[in-house]
PDB file of all heavy atoms in Angstrom:
ATOM      1  N   SER A   1       6.508   6.218  -0.186  1.00 96.00           N
ATOM      2  CA  SER A   1       5.669   6.286  -1.380  1.00 96.00           C
ATOM      3  C   SER A   1       5.296   4.921  -1.939  1.00 96.00           C
ATOM      4  O   SER A   1       4.173   4.736  -2.423  1.00 96.00           O
ATOM      5  CB  SER A   1       6.345   7.125  -2.465  1.00 96.00           C
ATOM      6  OG  SER A   1       7.584   6.576  -2.846  1.00 96.00           O
ATOM      7  N   ALA A   2       6.210   3.942  -1.864  1.00 97.00           N
ATOM      8  CA  ALA A   2       5.875   2.615  -2.395  1.00 97.00           C
ATOM      9  C   ALA A   2       4.659   2.033  -1.677  1.00 97.00           C
ATOM     10  O   ALA A   2       3.791   1.404  -2.298  1.00 97.00           O
ATOM     11  CB  ALA A   2       7.063   1.676  -2.265  1.00 97.00           C
ATOM     12  N   GLY A   3       4.583   2.250  -0.369  1.00 98.00           N
ATOM     13  CA  GLY A   3       3.443   1.742   0.396  1.00 98.00           C
ATOM     14  C   GLY A   3       2.151   2.424   0.015  1.00 98.00           C
ATOM     15  O   GLY A   3       1.094   1.787  -0.118  1.00 98.00           O
ATOM     16  N   VAL A   4       2.190   3.745  -0.172  1.00 98.00           N
ATOM     17  CA  VAL A   4       0.987   4.485  -0.572  1.00 98.00           C
ATOM     18  C   VAL A   4       0.525   4.024  -1.948  1.00 98.00           C
ATOM     19  O   VAL A   4      -0.668   3.788  -2.181  1.00 98.00           O
ATOM     20  CB  VAL A   4       1.258   6.000  -0.560  1.00 98.00           C
ATOM     21  CG1 VAL A   4       0.045   6.759  -1.093  1.00 98.00           C
ATOM     22  CG2 VAL A   4       1.599   6.473   0.843  1.00 98.00           C
ATOM     23  N   LEU A   5       1.462   3.893  -2.875  1.00 98.00           N
ATOM     24  CA  LEU A   5       1.102   3.454  -4.226  1.00 98.00           C
ATOM     25  C   LEU A   5       0.417   2.092  -4.199  1.00 98.00           C
ATOM     26  O   LEU A   5      -0.551   1.857  -4.928  1.00 98.00           O
ATOM     27  CB  LEU A   5       2.353   3.397  -5.102  1.00 98.00           C
ATOM     28  CG  LEU A   5       3.001   4.743  -5.434  1.00 98.00           C
ATOM     29  CD1 LEU A   5       4.366   4.536  -6.075  1.00 98.00           C
ATOM     30  CD2 LEU A   5       2.110   5.594  -6.342  1.00 98.00           C
ATOM     31  N   LYS A   6       0.905   1.188  -3.365  1.00 98.00           N
ATOM     32  CA  LYS A   6       0.288  -0.141  -3.288  1.00 98.00           C
ATOM     33  C   LYS A   6      -1.128  -0.061  -2.733  1.00 98.00           C
ATOM     34  O   LYS A   6      -2.047  -0.726  -3.241  1.00 98.00           O
ATOM     35  CB  LYS A   6       1.148  -1.067  -2.414  1.00 98.00           C
ATOM     36  CG  LYS A   6       2.487  -1.425  -3.021  1.00 98.00           C
ATOM     37  CD  LYS A   6       3.315  -2.260  -2.058  1.00 98.00           C
ATOM     38  CE  LYS A   6       4.769  -2.276  -2.462  1.00 98.00           C
ATOM     39  NZ  LYS A   6       5.599  -3.097  -1.572  1.00 98.00           N
ATOM     40  N   LYS A   7      -1.324   0.731  -1.701  1.00 98.00           N
ATOM     41  CA  LYS A   7      -2.659   0.835  -1.102  1.00 98.00           C
ATOM     42  C   LYS A   7      -3.661   1.437  -2.082  1.00 98.00           C
ATOM     43  O   LYS A   7      -4.807   0.973  -2.189  1.00 98.00           O
ATOM     44  CB  LYS A   7      -2.603   1.681   0.173  1.00 98.00           C
ATOM     45  CG  LYS A   7      -1.860   1.034   1.328  1.00 98.00           C
ATOM     46  CD  LYS A   7      -2.534  -0.249   1.772  1.00 98.00           C
ATOM     47  CE  LYS A   7      -1.824  -0.866   2.967  1.00 98.00           C
ATOM     48  NZ  LYS A   7      -2.420  -2.184   3.352  1.00 98.00           N
ATOM     49  N   VAL A   8      -3.230   2.466  -2.809  1.00 98.00           N
ATOM     50  CA  VAL A   8      -4.145   3.106  -3.760  1.00 98.00           C
ATOM     51  C   VAL A   8      -4.379   2.205  -4.970  1.00 98.00           C
ATOM     52  O   VAL A   8      -5.507   2.089  -5.472  1.00 98.00           O
ATOM     53  CB  VAL A   8      -3.617   4.484  -4.173  1.00 98.00           C
ATOM     54  CG1 VAL A   8      -4.543   5.132  -5.197  1.00 98.00           C
ATOM     55  CG2 VAL A   8      -3.481   5.397  -2.953  1.00 98.00           C
ATOM     56  N   ALA A   9      -3.340   1.537  -5.435  1.00 98.00           N
ATOM     57  CA  ALA A   9      -3.512   0.609  -6.558  1.00 98.00           C
ATOM     58  C   ALA A   9      -4.490  -0.501  -6.194  1.00 98.00           C
ATOM     59  O   ALA A   9      -5.323  -0.903  -7.018  1.00 98.00           O
ATOM     60  CB  ALA A   9      -2.162   0.023  -6.955  1.00 98.00           C
ATOM     61  N   GLU A  10      -4.403  -0.994  -4.980  1.00 98.00           N
ATOM     62  CA  GLU A  10      -5.315  -2.047  -4.542  1.00 98.00           C
ATOM     63  C   GLU A  10      -6.761  -1.575  -4.591  1.00 98.00           C
ATOM     64  O   GLU A  10      -7.669  -2.340  -4.971  1.00 98.00           O
ATOM     65  CB  GLU A  10      -4.943  -2.475  -3.123  1.00 98.00           C
ATOM     66  CG  GLU A  10      -5.744  -3.636  -2.587  1.00 98.00           C
ATOM     67  CD  GLU A  10      -5.220  -4.131  -1.246  1.00 98.00           C
ATOM     68  OE1 GLU A  10      -3.987  -4.327  -1.126  1.00 98.00           O
ATOM     69  OE2 GLU A  10      -6.049  -4.314  -0.334  1.00 98.00           O
ATOM     70  N   GLN A  11      -6.984  -0.309  -4.244  1.00 97.00           N
ATOM     71  CA  GLN A  11      -8.331   0.240  -4.329  1.00 97.00           C
ATOM     72  C   GLN A  11      -8.802   0.331  -5.782  1.00 97.00           C
ATOM     73  O   GLN A  11      -9.977   0.140  -6.071  1.00 97.00           O
ATOM     74  CB  GLN A  11      -8.376   1.637  -3.688  1.00 97.00           C
ATOM     75  CG  GLN A  11      -8.270   1.621  -2.183  1.00 97.00           C
ATOM     76  CD  GLN A  11      -9.408   0.854  -1.536  1.00 97.00           C
ATOM     77  OE1 GLN A  11     -10.577   0.992  -1.914  1.00 97.00           O
ATOM     78  NE2 GLN A  11      -9.074   0.036  -0.556  1.00 97.00           N
ATOM     79  N   ARG A  12      -7.880   0.595  -6.679  1.00 97.00           N
ATOM     80  CA  ARG A  12      -8.275   0.758  -8.077  1.00 97.00           C
ATOM     81  C   ARG A  12      -8.646  -0.562  -8.737  1.00 97.00           C
ATOM     82  O   ARG A  12      -9.586  -0.624  -9.515  1.00 97.00           O
ATOM     83  CB  ARG A  12      -7.146   1.439  -8.856  1.00 97.00           C
ATOM     84  CG  ARG A  12      -7.009   2.922  -8.522  1.00 97.00           C
ATOM     85  CD  ARG A  12      -6.902   3.766  -9.759  1.00 97.00           C
ATOM     86  NE  ARG A  12      -7.986   3.564 -10.704  1.00 97.00           N
ATOM     87  CZ  ARG A  12      -7.938   3.907 -11.977  1.00 97.00           C
ATOM     88  NH1 ARG A  12      -6.840   4.457 -12.468  1.00 97.00           N
ATOM     89  NH2 ARG A  12      -8.958   3.719 -12.778  1.00 97.00           N
ATOM     90  N   HIS A  13      -7.876  -1.634  -8.465  1.00 97.00           N
ATOM     91  CA  HIS A  13      -8.142  -2.857  -9.213  1.00 97.00           C
ATOM     92  C   HIS A  13      -8.552  -4.055  -8.369  1.00 97.00           C
ATOM     93  O   HIS A  13      -8.949  -5.083  -8.915  1.00 97.00           O
ATOM     94  CB  HIS A  13      -6.954  -3.233 -10.102  1.00 97.00           C
ATOM     95  CG  HIS A  13      -5.621  -3.313  -9.408  1.00 97.00           C
ATOM     96  ND1 HIS A  13      -5.391  -4.042  -8.268  1.00 97.00           N
ATOM     97  CD2 HIS A  13      -4.431  -2.746  -9.744  1.00 97.00           C
ATOM     98  CE1 HIS A  13      -4.108  -3.924  -7.927  1.00 97.00           C
ATOM     99  NE2 HIS A  13      -3.508  -3.147  -8.786  1.00 97.00           N
ATOM    100  N   GLY A  14      -8.463  -3.937  -7.056  1.00 97.00           N
ATOM    101  CA  GLY A  14      -8.965  -4.997  -6.196  1.00 97.00           C
ATOM    102  C   GLY A  14      -8.007  -6.136  -5.904  1.00 97.00           C
ATOM    103  O   GLY A  14      -8.337  -7.039  -5.131  1.00 97.00           O
ATOM    104  N   HIS A  15      -6.825  -6.125  -6.504  1.00 96.00           N
ATOM    105  CA  HIS A  15      -5.854  -7.180  -6.226  1.00 96.00           C
ATOM    106  C   HIS A  15      -5.052  -6.825  -4.978  1.00 96.00           C
ATOM    107  O   HIS A  15      -4.621  -5.679  -4.826  1.00 96.00           O
ATOM    108  CB  HIS A  15      -4.902  -7.369  -7.408  1.00 96.00           C
ATOM    109  CG  HIS A  15      -5.589  -7.687  -8.689  1.00 96.00           C
ATOM    110  ND1 HIS A  15      -6.293  -8.865  -8.889  1.00 96.00           N
ATOM    111  CD2 HIS A  15      -5.705  -6.981  -9.851  1.00 96.00           C
ATOM    112  CE1 HIS A  15      -6.799  -8.873 -10.105  1.00 96.00           C
ATOM    113  NE2 HIS A  15      -6.463  -7.740 -10.709  1.00 96.00           N
ATOM    114  N   PRO A  16      -4.828  -7.762  -4.077  1.00 96.00           N
ATOM    115  CA  PRO A  16      -4.059  -7.455  -2.869  1.00 96.00           C
ATOM    116  C   PRO A  16      -2.621  -7.078  -3.224  1.00 96.00           C
ATOM    117  O   PRO A  16      -1.957  -7.778  -3.981  1.00 96.00           O
ATOM    118  CB  PRO A  16      -4.106  -8.762  -2.065  1.00 96.00           C
ATOM    119  CG  PRO A  16      -4.354  -9.827  -3.086  1.00 96.00           C
ATOM    120  CD  PRO A  16      -5.207  -9.193  -4.141  1.00 96.00           C
ATOM    121  N   MET A  17      -2.164  -5.957  -2.673  1.00 98.00           N
ATOM    122  CA  MET A  17      -0.826  -5.461  -3.005  1.00 98.00           C
ATOM    123  C   MET A  17       0.137  -5.548  -1.823  1.00 98.00           C
ATOM    124  O   MET A  17       1.283  -5.114  -1.932  1.00 98.00           O
ATOM    125  CB  MET A  17      -0.921  -4.024  -3.517  1.00 98.00           C
ATOM    126  CG  MET A  17      -1.634  -3.906  -4.857  1.00 98.00           C
ATOM    127  SD  MET A  17      -0.797  -4.803  -6.194  1.00 98.00           S
ATOM    128  CE  MET A  17       0.679  -3.837  -6.369  1.00 98.00           C
ATOM    129  N   GLY A  18      -0.328  -6.083  -0.699  1.00 97.00           N
ATOM    130  CA  GLY A  18       0.576  -6.378   0.404  1.00 97.00           C
ATOM    131  C   GLY A  18       1.180  -5.149   1.043  1.00 97.00           C
ATOM    132  O   GLY A  18       0.576  -4.090   1.133  1.00 97.00           O
ATOM    133  N   THR A  19       2.425  -5.299   1.461  1.00 98.00           N
ATOM    134  CA  THR A  19       3.080  -4.274   2.247  1.00 98.00           C
ATOM    135  C   THR A  19       4.445  -3.961   1.642  1.00 98.00           C
ATOM    136  O   THR A  19       4.771  -4.408   0.540  1.00 98.00           O
ATOM    137  CB  THR A  19       3.220  -4.744   3.706  1.00 98.00           C
ATOM    138  OG1 THR A  19       3.742  -3.677   4.513  1.00 98.00           O
ATOM    139  CG2 THR A  19       4.120  -5.972   3.834  1.00 98.00           C
ATOM    140  N   VAL A  20       5.220  -3.147   2.343  1.00 98.00           N
ATOM    141  CA  VAL A  20       6.592  -2.842   1.934  1.00 98.00           C
ATOM    142  C   VAL A  20       7.543  -3.716   2.742  1.00 98.00           C
ATOM    143  O   VAL A  20       7.176  -4.286   3.760  1.00 98.00           O
ATOM    144  CB  VAL A  20       6.929  -1.351   2.154  1.00 98.00           C
ATOM    145  CG1 VAL A  20       6.107  -0.477   1.224  1.00 98.00           C
ATOM    146  CG2 VAL A  20       6.712  -0.950   3.610  1.00 98.00           C
ATOM    147  N   ARG A  21       8.770  -3.817   2.258  1.00 98.00           N
ATOM    148  CA  ARG A  21       9.788  -4.608   2.954  1.00 98.00           C
ATOM    149  C   ARG A  21      10.672  -3.671   3.774  1.00 98.00           C
ATOM    150  O   ARG A  21      11.113  -2.639   3.259  1.00 98.00           O
ATOM    151  CB  ARG A  21      10.613  -5.393   1.930  1.00 98.00           C
ATOM    152  CG  ARG A  21      11.682  -6.304   2.531  1.00 98.00           C
ATOM    153  CD  ARG A  21      12.353  -7.162   1.460  1.00 98.00           C
ATOM    154  NE  ARG A  21      11.634  -8.408   1.235  1.00 98.00           N
ATOM    155  CZ  ARG A  21      12.000  -9.341   0.345  1.00 98.00           C
ATOM    156  NH1 ARG A  21      13.074  -9.139  -0.420  1.00 98.00           N
ATOM    157  NH2 ARG A  21      11.305 -10.454   0.202  1.00 98.00           N
ATOM    158  N   PRO A  22      10.930  -3.984   5.041  1.00 97.00           N
ATOM    159  CA  PRO A  22      11.829  -3.147   5.831  1.00 97.00           C
ATOM    160  C   PRO A  22      13.175  -2.982   5.135  1.00 97.00           C
ATOM    161  O   PRO A  22      13.624  -3.905   4.440  1.00 97.00           O
ATOM    162  CB  PRO A  22      11.980  -3.935   7.142  1.00 97.00           C
ATOM    163  CG  PRO A  22      10.741  -4.761   7.230  1.00 97.00           C
ATOM    164  CD  PRO A  22      10.414  -5.118   5.808  1.00 97.00           C
ATOM    165  N   PRO A  23      13.803  -1.790   5.251  1.00 97.00           N
ATOM    166  CA  PRO A  23      13.558  -0.786   6.288  1.00 97.00           C
ATOM    167  C   PRO A  23      12.430   0.198   6.005  1.00 97.00           C
ATOM    168  O   PRO A  23      12.219   1.109   6.807  1.00 97.00           O
ATOM    169  CB  PRO A  23      14.889  -0.054   6.359  1.00 97.00           C
ATOM    170  CG  PRO A  23      15.404  -0.100   4.955  1.00 97.00           C
ATOM    171  CD  PRO A  23      15.009  -1.464   4.454  1.00 97.00           C
ATOM    172  N   LEU A  24      11.719   0.103   4.876  1.00 97.00           N
ATOM    173  CA  LEU A  24      10.562   0.962   4.687  1.00 97.00           C
ATOM    174  C   LEU A  24       9.482   0.595   5.690  1.00 97.00           C
ATOM    175  O   LEU A  24       9.396  -0.546   6.148  1.00 97.00           O
ATOM    176  CB  LEU A  24      10.029   0.834   3.257  1.00 97.00           C
ATOM    177  CG  LEU A  24      10.972   1.292   2.134  1.00 97.00           C
ATOM    178  CD1 LEU A  24      10.251   1.230   0.791  1.00 97.00           C
ATOM    179  CD2 LEU A  24      11.516   2.682   2.383  1.00 97.00           C
ATOM    180  N   SER A  25       8.647   1.570   6.005  1.00 96.00           N
ATOM    181  CA  SER A  25       7.575   1.371   6.987  1.00 96.00           C
ATOM    182  C   SER A  25       6.234   1.270   6.287  1.00 96.00           C
ATOM    183  O   SER A  25       5.974   2.008   5.322  1.00 96.00           O
ATOM    184  CB  SER A  25       7.534   2.535   7.980  1.00 96.00           C
ATOM    185  OG  SER A  25       8.746   2.634   8.707  1.00 96.00           O
ATOM    186  N   PRO A  26       5.356   0.388   6.762  1.00 96.00           N
ATOM    187  CA  PRO A  26       4.031   0.272   6.135  1.00 96.00           C
ATOM    188  C   PRO A  26       3.203   1.527   6.345  1.00 96.00           C
ATOM    189  O   PRO A  26       3.432   2.308   7.281  1.00 96.00           O
ATOM    190  CB  PRO A  26       3.418  -0.940   6.841  1.00 96.00           C
ATOM    191  CG  PRO A  26       4.126  -1.015   8.152  1.00 96.00           C
ATOM    192  CD  PRO A  26       5.518  -0.535   7.897  1.00 96.00           C
ATOM    193  N   VAL A  27       2.246   1.716   5.464  1.00 96.00           N
ATOM    194  CA  VAL A  27       1.323   2.838   5.592  1.00 96.00           C
ATOM    195  C   VAL A  27       0.497   2.654   6.865  1.00 96.00           C
ATOM    196  O   VAL A  27      -0.007   1.558   7.125  1.00 96.00           O
ATOM    197  CB  VAL A  27       0.411   2.917   4.357  1.00 96.00           C
ATOM    198  CG1 VAL A  27      -0.632   4.004   4.516  1.00 96.00           C
ATOM    199  CG2 VAL A  27       1.243   3.153   3.105  1.00 96.00           C
ATOM    200  N   PRO A  28       0.338   3.689   7.690  1.00 96.00           N
ATOM    201  CA  PRO A  28      -0.411   3.529   8.936  1.00 96.00           C
ATOM    202  C   PRO A  28      -1.893   3.253   8.682  1.00 96.00           C
ATOM    203  O   PRO A  28      -2.434   3.624   7.636  1.00 96.00           O
ATOM    204  CB  PRO A  28      -0.208   4.871   9.652  1.00 96.00           C
ATOM    205  CG  PRO A  28       0.130   5.841   8.564  1.00 96.00           C
ATOM    206  CD  PRO A  28       0.872   5.055   7.531  1.00 96.00           C
ATOM    207  N   PRO A  29      -2.558   2.616   9.639  1.00 94.00           N
ATOM    208  CA  PRO A  29      -3.986   2.290   9.466  1.00 94.00           C
ATOM    209  C   PRO A  29      -4.864   3.518   9.275  1.00 94.00           C
ATOM    210  O   PRO A  29      -5.973   3.401   8.743  1.00 94.00           O
ATOM    211  CB  PRO A  29      -4.340   1.559  10.766  1.00 94.00           C
ATOM    212  CG  PRO A  29      -3.046   1.085  11.328  1.00 94.00           C
ATOM    213  CD  PRO A  29      -2.016   2.081  10.896  1.00 94.00           C
ATOM    214  N   THR A  30      -4.384   4.671   9.682  1.00 96.00           N
ATOM    215  CA  THR A  30      -5.185   5.891   9.542  1.00 96.00           C
ATOM    216  C   THR A  30      -5.238   6.408   8.101  1.00 96.00           C
ATOM    217  O   THR A  30      -6.061   7.273   7.782  1.00 96.00           O
ATOM    218  CB  THR A  30      -4.601   6.995  10.431  1.00 96.00           C
ATOM    219  OG1 THR A  30      -3.203   7.156  10.128  1.00 96.00           O
ATOM    220  CG2 THR A  30      -4.752   6.634  11.910  1.00 96.00           C
ATOM    221  N   PHE A  31      -4.393   5.872   7.232  1.00 96.00           N
ATOM    222  CA  PHE A  31      -4.391   6.332   5.841  1.00 96.00           C
ATOM    223  C   PHE A  31      -5.669   5.880   5.146  1.00 96.00           C
ATOM    224  O   PHE A  31      -6.006   4.696   5.140  1.00 96.00           O
ATOM    225  CB  PHE A  31      -3.170   5.783   5.104  1.00 96.00           C
ATOM    226  CG  PHE A  31      -3.118   6.176   3.649  1.00 96.00           C
ATOM    227  CD1 PHE A  31      -2.803   7.470   3.280  1.00 96.00           C
ATOM    228  CD2 PHE A  31      -3.395   5.246   2.655  1.00 96.00           C
ATOM    229  CE1 PHE A  31      -2.745   7.835   1.936  1.00 96.00           C
ATOM    230  CE2 PHE A  31      -3.340   5.594   1.315  1.00 96.00           C
ATOM    231  CZ  PHE A  31      -3.018   6.891   0.959  1.00 96.00           C
ATOM    232  N   ASP A  32      -6.390   6.814   4.545  1.00 96.00           N
ATOM    233  CA  ASP A  32      -7.670   6.533   3.885  1.00 96.00           C
ATOM    234  C   ASP A  32      -7.410   6.259   2.402  1.00 96.00           C
ATOM    235  O   ASP A  32      -7.401   7.174   1.576  1.00 96.00           O
ATOM    236  CB  ASP A  32      -8.623   7.707   4.062  1.00 96.00           C
ATOM    237  CG  ASP A  32     -10.047   7.394   3.620  1.00 96.00           C
ATOM    238  OD1 ASP A  32     -10.239   6.425   2.855  1.00 96.00           O
ATOM    239  OD2 ASP A  32     -10.975   8.128   4.028  1.00 96.00           O
TER     240      ASP A  32
END
């Protein structure tokens, strides 16, 4: 969820939100 929240937040405000830190996995490229 942390990765999804960052990707969606980035769409809302335009600031780069980066990725998650392992052991969490980044959101896959297929996520719209």
Side-chain angles (χ1 to χ4, degrees):
S1 60
V4 175
L5 292 169
K6 292 176 197 181
K7 291 298 182 184
V8 178
E10 184 173 312
Q11 288 299 316
R12 287 228 54 199
H13 53 52
H15 303 294
M17 293 299 292
T19 186
V20 293
R21 182 174 272 180
L24 296 185
S25 299
V27 175
T30 54
F31 178 73
D32 190 341

